Amino acid sequence: MSTARTTAPAKTSAPAAKSAPAATSPRSRRDNIHGWAFSAPFLVFFLLFLVWPMISGAIMSLTGKSLTGANSGIIGLANYAEAFADADMWRSLGNTLYFTLISTVPLVVIALALAALVNMGLPAQWLWRLSFFSPFLLASTVVSLFFAWMYNPELGLFNDLLAKVGIPPVAWLNDPAVAMWAVVIATVWWTIGFNFLLYLAALQNIPQQHYEAASLDGAGGWRQFFSISLPQLGPTTVMIVILQILASLKVFDQIYQMTEGGPGGATRSIVQYIFEAGFTGYRLGYSAAISYIFFGLILLIALAQVFATRKRSA
Amino acid sequence: MATTTLSKPALQPKGSAETMPNRRPKTPLSRILATVIVAVLAVAWLVPFAWATATALKSETDAASTPISWIPASGFTLDAFAKVLQSGNIPTWTLNSLFTSAAITAITLVISASVAYAISRIDFRGKKMLMGVIVASIIVPPPVLIIPLFQQMQALNLIDTYWALILPQVIHSPMVFVLKKFFDQIPRELEEAALMDGAGRLRIFTTIVLPLSRPILAAVAIFVFIGAWNNFLWPFIATNESSLLTLPVGLQTIKSAYGIQYAQNMASALLAALPLIVVFLFFQRQIIRGVATTGLAGT
């Protein structure tokens, strides 16, 4: 909101007002030099390590380039044609979308529930924040080691717990029907703290008078939550959902570390497929083409979200 | 702090509202219930840490014995930790992670703050386009860049060097945006006065803007540091030599090397987790503010 206010007038009135007294004096030229001088260090890194790889990746995707350097001639869109006919590519894309769907829902809903509970004026706030947020600080490898151990079929905590309530053991990471859910459980444990903190901060920003007025009108806790908190959290929820979808689409680490994409490719993500096509299949050009298909998908989803939120706020 | 001051006044009207025909005020009972639920969940959330610790403190025989038990038959031992520290590269990897993450954080802060300052405060030609390109780049997913970046690093002969780990990780476009928004709020009068006194841009930036921006700089720094510390995919690709691995990548190699040595696996995972947990205990408030401000400013 504040940016809208500062940038909007700058577009029309501010430059006129500012440069009018000095007209086309050395000041504006000095500003040009200063502006680019301050931007230069970032720009160098930006061009070298973001823009250039984007361009060279696009070019690479049109070649048959391999990791050994052979056959780097332009082959046109052949890589893309091959990718679109590649069942494994579609399968890993499907796995990624499935993971995104079944991870985003709990990561938003449970985070909101936890934040709402903790925000009910509970004692020892720091303790709850510490408990729910600390896993977020772990490296994916640590999380994967923890959970692979708990998912261990004979020695793991999960099956032991199931046995205590009389449920037969589950092959957590080895059953194609269960493996993705096992990864999602680990992911929710690992990353929920971030969304939880965002919700907690947003809840604490809601003016207390709203609740006081509502409680004078006789609204109970549930009523207050649904008619005050939830609507006020709208923008935060939109933001968390967008960030979460974009983050989940990029999933690779914890899946690769826990299942290596197995069993039988049931959990292989699109990022893993990009990685394997390039580094174990040695086909850099093909790998780059899949990267661009993945990027196209992310772009589409992002544009759809921008469009949806625009429409809603308009 | 904010939480306790916010929630306390909220209790008062409810207490005084008892005289009114208030059907369901937020009774202490519901708060007790909420505390119990949250406490149970918090305990559940800590189980992986506890179980990893219990396992790491067992002998390998006890760790692999069924039925599983929290308390080992032959008592707790520090054997697994000792073995991991003696034979492994964990200290080296920790130093690698520390050094590369610190370097990434420092470079990110310097280049992001200065470009954000230029966009926020200096009227120069092309700045709108520059900001537009930086904002647009937020959408580029890092995994898309790994193949061309690998090629680039290979061409530059930087694979298996610290440079390969550091250089591609210093562009954080969202952070430029977050910093720019913060700089926008610093009163222009402060700057105008200094300009009148003949101070240059660089001087204004380093002596006025940066000191006033400490909270947001700390938030960005913590955020970038945690991200760099835990990054896996790029360091996994950019390094092979054991002495150059970062902690997360090193752990991955340990896992395949140790195979079924459960106690040692958990001991190394815990040793790897320790540094950031300690950092969190010291900087809890700043980290939470960092998530709230940098995360919320993402809109």
Side-chain angles (χ1 to χ4, degrees):
Chain A
M1 251 202 278
S2 60
T3 37
R5 234 191 297 137
T6 49
T7 52
K11 215 179 272 172
T12 52
S13 58
K18 222 167 232 172
S19 54
T24 47
S25 74
R27 165 134 189 219
S28 66
R29 216 176 70 199
R30 213 180 55 192
D31 276 353
N32 277 338
I33 294 167
H34 286 167
W36 287 106
F38 272 93
S39 309
F42 182 86
L43 213 54
V44 168
F45 283 100
F46 188 77
L47 292 173
L48 275 177
F49 301 112
L50 196 137
V51 177
W52 173 243
M54 286 291 290
I55 296 170
S56 69
I59 297 170
M60 206 187 292
S61 74
L62 303 174
T63 69
K65 201 174 180 78
S66 84
L67 197 56
T68 50
N71 188 18
S72 52
I74 298 281
I75 55 168
L77 295 174
N79 285 326
Y80 289 92
E82 185 184 339
F84 278 114
D86 179 350
D88 283 342
M89 199 280 292
W90 287 110
R91 185 154 184 233
S92 44
L93 204 56
N95 287 340
T96 302
L97 291 173
Y98 182 56
F99 172 84
T100 302
L101 182 75
I102 63 174
S103 65
T104 298
V105 174
L107 278 169
V108 174
V109 175
I110 300 175
L112 172 60
L114 285 177
L117 279 170
V118 169
N119 197 44
M120 278 175 72
L122 300 198
Q125 296 252 346
W126 66 272
L127 182 66
W128 319 124
R129 284 195 306 231
L130 178 71
S131 314
F132 299 127
F133 183 72
S134 55
F136 185 77
L137 296 168
L138 302 177
S140 57
T141 334
V142 174
V143 175
S144 304
L145 279 168
F146 280 5
F147 274 81
W149 175 225
M150 292 196 296
Y151 285 140
N152 185 297
E154 291 90 34
L155 302 165
L157 211 51
F158 281 106
N159 277 352
D160 186 59
L161 216 63
L162 292 183
K164 286 198 172 109
V165 288
I167 300 174
V170 173
W172 292 96
L173 297 171
N174 295 318
D175 179 343
V178 182
M180 194 63 102
W181 288 94
V183 173
V184 167
I185 291 171
T187 306
V188 169
W189 180 81
W190 179 29
T191 60
I192 199 148
F194 186 78
N195 293 350
F196 162 74
L197 280 188
L198 287 182
Y199 266 131
L200 200 58
L203 279 168
Q204 286 168 358
N205 277 336
I206 298 175
Q208 207 56 45
Q209 296 93 289
H210 291 348
Y211 294 109
E212 286 163 19
S215 97
L216 284 177
D217 287 344
W222 284 108
R223 186 70 206 278
Q224 288 184 19
F225 177 75
F226 282 107
S227 19
I228 302 172
S229 310
L230 217 51
Q232 294 267 336
L233 289 175
T236 307
T237 302
V238 170
M239 178 195 72
I240 289 178
V241 169
I242 293 175
L243 290 178
Q244 190 56 57
I245 289 176
L246 292 178
S248 285
L249 285 171
K250 283 180 268 190
V251 68
F252 167 75
D253 297 11
Q254 66 269 42
I255 297 186
Y256 183 75
Q257 290 155 4
M258 275 192 267
T259 69
E260 290 184 15
T267 59
R268 180 161 60 187
S269 69
I270 187 73
V271 173
Q272 187 182 334
Y273 198 59
I274 292 170
F275 167 75
E276 284 176 353
F279 293 103
T280 48
Y282 298 116
R283 299 185 61 199
L284 293 181
Y286 189 55
S287 174
I290 303 164
S291 299
Y292 267 79
I293 293 171
F294 172 54
F295 183 41
L297 175 79
I298 290 216
L299 211 57
L300 269 179
I301 291 174
L303 285 175
Q305 281 169 336
V306 168
F307 189 70
T309 48
R310 278 253 169 90
K311 223 174 185 182
R312 193 195 289 191
S313 61
Chain B
M1 256 208 288
T3 34
T4 49
T5 49
L6 270 180
S7 55
K8 267 193 190 122
L11 299 182
Q12 254 109 45
K14 265 154 221 157
S16 59
E18 261 169 40
T19 45
M20 304 192 69
N22 196 342
R23 264 206 304 140
R24 259 205 88 128
K26 207 193 273 176
T27 54
L29 185 72
S30 68
R31 209 163 328 112
I32 291 168
L33 198 67
T35 311
V36 171
I37 296 172
V38 169
V40 168
L41 286 168
V43 168
W45 234 260
L46 294 174
V47 162
F49 287 107
W51 180 239
T53 312
T55 307
L57 292 171
K58 291 174 186 171
S59 65
E60 289 298 347
T61 334
D62 280 339
S65 69
T66 52
I68 67 167
S69 151
W70 285 79
I71 297 161
S74 53
F76 289 110
T77 165
L78 288 171
D79 254 20
F81 285 101
K83 280 206 182 99
V84 165
L85 283 173
Q86 276 163 19
S87 64
N89 292 307
I90 285 190
T92 315
W93 295 336
T94 308
L95 286 179
N96 287 342
S97 279
L98 210 59
F99 169 67
T100 53
S101 306
I104 290 165
T105 308
I107 298 173
T108 303
L109 272 189
V110 171
I111 65 176
S112 308
S114 68
V115 71
Y117 171 74
I119 291 171
S120 171
R121 286 308 163 90
I122 307 174
D123 275 315
F124 61 100
R125 197 168 298 152
K127 107 176 179 177
K128 290 243 167 60
M129 195 192 67
L130 180 63
M131 188 62 192
V133 171
I134 293 174
V135 169
S137 73
I138 290 174
I139 203 67
V140 178
V144 166
L145 300 176
I146 55 166
I147 296 289
L149 269 178
F150 178 78
Q151 278 274 290
Q152 194 179 354
M153 289 298 149
Q154 224 178 16
L156 294 169
N157 245 328
L158 291 180
I159 291 294
D160 263 330
T161 67
Y162 286 125
W163 295 111
L165 290 173
I166 295 167
L167 295 177
Q169 289 197 68
V170 301
I171 314 151
H172 290 268
S173 304
M175 296 305 164
V176 175
F177 191 61
V178 165
L179 288 165
K180 186 233 169 223
K181 266 181 130 173
F182 190 90
F183 295 159
D184 282 345
Q185 288 164 359
I186 298 174
R188 272 164 198 275
E189 293 78 53
L190 289 171
E191 214 172 335
E192 306 277 316
L195 269 176
M196 292 292 185
D197 292 345
R201 285 283 184 195
L202 194 60
R203 185 90 188 278
I204 291 171
F205 178 57
T206 52
T207 61
I208 299 176
V209 176
L210 288 186
L212 284 173
S213 310
R214 245 178 240 150
I216 196 74
L217 291 172
V220 169
I222 287 166
F223 220 68
V224 172
F225 187 88
I226 294 173
W229 181 278
N230 288 338
N231 194 6
F232 177 76
L233 182 55
W234 176 247
F236 179 57
I237 287 167
T239 47
N240 288 309
E241 201 178 312
S242 180
S243 65
L244 278 168
L245 301 185
T246 59
L247 205 43
V249 182
L251 269 191
Q252 177 71 8
T253 66
I254 268 196
K255 194 179 85 178
S256 9
Y258 286 1
I260 50 161
Q261 297 197 285
Y262 303 116
Q264 289 189 37
N265 266 337
M266 288 305 113
S268 45
L270 285 170
L271 285 172
L274 203 60
L276 272 202
I277 299 292
V278 170
V279 166
F280 183 72
L281 290 175
F282 275 103
F283 296 104
Q284 206 194 150
R285 193 157 298 172
Q286 286 88 337
I287 289 175
I288 284 164
R289 196 173 48 199
V291 172
T293 50
T294 53
L296 285 172
T299 35

